[in-house]
Amino acid sequence: MYVVDTRGPKDRAVEAPAAEMSILGVRDSFTETLMVNIALVRRRIAHRRLAVELMKAGRLTRTSKALVHVRGWLGRN
């Protein structure tokens, strides 16, 4: 018999930033999880031409990164 811990890493909840207080505007702050951050951007910028290009950086760590843009504003179609 094997016992395996299949839980994922614990993530911080999306909450208001503590360091920068504002009266008006968005009360969300980015977390360590890329996909949660992309979801936050998609929620705020609900545009049909919003594009997300996922990539990897580095030979050793293969760190995930994303280029988020509105198609047509960067010279892309």
Side-chain angles (χ1 to χ4, degrees), residues 20-69:
E20 298 178 12
M21 301 303 289
S22 72
I23 297 171
L24 301 173
V26 180
R27 305 248 185 225
D28 297 336
S29 59
F30 287 134
T31 65
E32 290 85 10
T33 309
L34 180 62
M35 298 313 277
V36 172
N37 293 338
I38 291 171
L40 286 171
V41 172
R42 284 191 179 279
R43 189 182 322 155
R44 296 293 172 200
I45 305 173
H47 195 280
R48 63 183 176 83
R49 293 174 50 184
L50 184 69
V52 177
E53 298 178 34
L54 297 174
M55 300 169 237
K56 297 284 184 176
R59 269 188 262 166
L60 189 61
T61 61
R62 302 297 295 159
T63 303
S64 297
K65 62 181 181 176
L67 173 64
V68 182
H69 61 94

